[in-house]
Amino acid sequence: MAIQSIRQNKLRSSLTLLGIAIGVFSVIGVMTAITTMESSIQSGLNVFGANTFSFQKFPAIHLGGHGSWEKYSKRKSITYDQYEKLRERVKTAAYVSANDDAWGKNIKNGDNQAKRNTALYAGDEWTIRTYNSTIDDGRNITHDDVHYARRVVILGGDALDQLFPFEYALGNSITIDGIKFLVIGTAERKGQSFGQSQDNYVIIPISTYLHHFAHQRTSLVITIESPATELYDKTQDEAIGIMRTIRKVPPGEENDFEVISNVQLLETFSSFTSGVKAFAFVISIIALFVAGIGIMNIMLVSVTERTKEIGIRKAIGANKRDIITQFLAEAVFLSEIGGIVGVILGVVGGNAVAMMMNIPAVIPMDWVVYGLVVCSFIGIGFGIYPAWRAANLDPIESLRFE
């Protein structure tokens, strides 16, 4: 009977369904897009190796205003001398590494030139491990390369393709801003994350970088790895204490450097997505509330149009519960159809965003269930008054209605 009632009023029912579908689409679409990003967050933000954390001048993800950024910019830069002191004093770390990066360098091999967005990474023998990668061919940067500031370079996969499309790279040379570097190795390919290549870079020794490319605002990133998971907190506490001493931070004052880890990156990202989820949920509730008013309106019109039918049903034995059940079923059916349409559109729309960012598609089953349950409550909540009104019609007066 519910299906038949909807078929008899196609335009009116479609407009009502549209309101529900838009409300559900808005929340499912946003939640699907966020869930797809969260599902790949481990690979997307998992930029450090296991049991690894780093010290740097600025936050990795900054969500504050301009004023807070000024606070960070006033901090003292992290220097190579501070890195060496920390490396000498930390006893529980597996390694301590110094890193930095730069962009927009002119990287060439004869007539072949790398893209301007190719990153120039500076580091030591641990840098390749810090970025969760390994050497694919050739050798890694060594301690001697750093000590003697040798002009050697490791190429990422994209840089390799751009600079040496038709020849073997190892043993050949490239230039970075006109300075000649010998290619000693190539890194394994990691593919894309969030639509961006993870292989578009070159790595040179940190000492060489500081000699040729550093400027007065250069601030290093110091990366520390704990030898085991159970020692992670101990290593981090020890390193923070030593770093505070090196940088002469008074007791009781906050660190004048950032402590960055995979956990911290995930927590920062989660706090951002939680706000987006809450906003999308509020907007969707408002849209569903408006759609619920539409359902109440169409059901009240339906009660008026079917007054005589209600009288006939009561005359042949239907009680109030039967009438209420009939009209509530129609209201819930309208809500659920709109909800299903909204879920389908939301999942398709959310995953379309994911596909554009090269992120694996997912279906947020928890939010799909929440959406359909909310639609049921919308149908019941806004259909109860029209159903109650229909159930309380006088059967004699209803039979006389024209």
Side-chain angles (χ1 to χ4, degrees), residues 42-347:
Q42 292 296 334
S43 60
L45 289 182
N46 194 26
V47 294
F48 303 118
N51 305 324
T52 303
F53 59 94
S54 69
F55 298 152
Q56 59 188 55
K57 182 177 179 179
F58 295 97
I61 301 175
H62 180 61
L63 301 177
H66 179 69
S68 61
W69 190 256
E70 284 187 349
K71 180 189 76 171
Y72 300 129
S73 63
K74 291 178 180 178
R75 289 173 171 176
K76 294 181 294 184
S77 296
I78 297 176
T79 65
Y80 192 80
D81 180 62
Q82 292 174 6
Y83 150 70
E84 289 188 318
K85 290 179 179 178
L86 182 65
R87 184 183 61 184
E88 292 171 0
R89 298 181 190 180
V90 174
K91 304 302 181 184
T92 59
Y95 71 81
V96 180
S97 174
N99 309 279
D100 197 17
D101 56 59
W103 308 81
K105 299 299 181 182
N106 188 14
I107 305 174
K108 300 178 66 176
N109 168 34
D111 294 332
N112 299 317
Q113 182 168 353
K115 295 178 181 177
R116 297 294 288 181
N117 64 345
T118 299
L120 171 62
Y121 292 155
D124 52 27
E125 64 268 32
W126 302 108
T127 298
I128 199 77
R129 177 173 172 176
T130 295
Y131 288 104
N132 260 338
S133 188
T134 59
I135 296 297
D136 181 55
D137 192 13
R139 68 171 178 88
N140 191 14
I141 292 172
T142 65
H143 177 74
D144 284 347
D145 292 331
V146 177
H147 181 73
Y148 294 107
R150 290 171 178 160
R151 289 184 291 184
V152 293
V153 63
I154 296 173
L155 305 180
D158 287 1
L160 174 66
D161 294 341
Q162 296 162 28
L163 296 171
F164 295 93
F166 305 113
E167 59 182 314
Y168 190 60
L170 297 188
N172 286 317
S173 297
I174 66 170
T175 59
I176 303 176
D177 282 357
I179 303 170
K180 192 174 182 179
F181 285 81
L182 176 68
V183 179
I184 59 171
T186 59
E188 69 167 348
R189 297 177 186 268
K190 298 179 67 176
Q192 292 190 337
S193 178
F194 292 97
Q196 299 295 322
S197 173
Q198 300 182 83
D199 303 313
N200 195 23
Y201 62 86
V202 299
I203 307 175
I204 64 174
I206 184 68
S207 53
T208 311
Y209 171 85
L210 292 174
H211 180 70
H212 293 287
F213 304 108
H215 48 78
Q216 61 181 2
R217 295 189 303 276
T218 296
S219 181
L220 301 184
V221 177
I222 301 177
T223 305
I224 303 102
E225 180 179 317
S226 173
T229 302
E230 55 270 19
L231 295 175
Y232 182 83
D233 291 338
K234 180 180 179 180
T235 303
Q236 189 176 80
D237 291 341
E238 179 192 14
I240 291 173
I242 295 172
M243 192 64 174
R244 286 175 60 89
T245 302
I246 293 172
R247 290 173 65 83
K248 296 180 173 58
V249 180
E253 291 191 11
E254 66 176 9
N255 297 331
D256 66 346
F257 55 92
E258 294 296 314
V259 182
I260 309 297
S261 65
N262 288 328
V263 173
Q264 189 261 351
L265 289 174
L266 292 172
E267 288 176 350
T268 302
F269 185 81
S270 295
S271 66
F272 171 73
T273 56
S274 296
V276 175
K277 286 180 179 179
F279 178 75
F281 184 74
V282 170
I283 296 299
S284 301
I285 290 298
I286 295 173
L288 289 173
F289 182 80
V290 174
I293 294 175
I295 289 178
M296 181 183 290
N297 179 59
I298 192 175
M299 294 307 299
L300 287 172
V301 172
S302 180
V303 169
T304 302
E305 290 179 343
R306 297 160 63 186
T307 300
K308 194 164 189 175
E309 173 193 327
I310 294 169
I312 294 173
R313 291 186 186 281
K314 284 195 168 187
I316 61 176
N319 55 33
K320 288 186 178 181
R321 178 178 295 180
D322 297 326
I323 302 300
I324 288 175
T325 301
Q326 175 189 348
F327 279 86
L328 275 182
E330 291 183 16
V332 172
F333 198 78
L334 273 171
S335 296
E336 289 299 333
I337 292 179
I340 291 171
V341 172
V343 165
I344 294 172
L345 293 177
V347 170

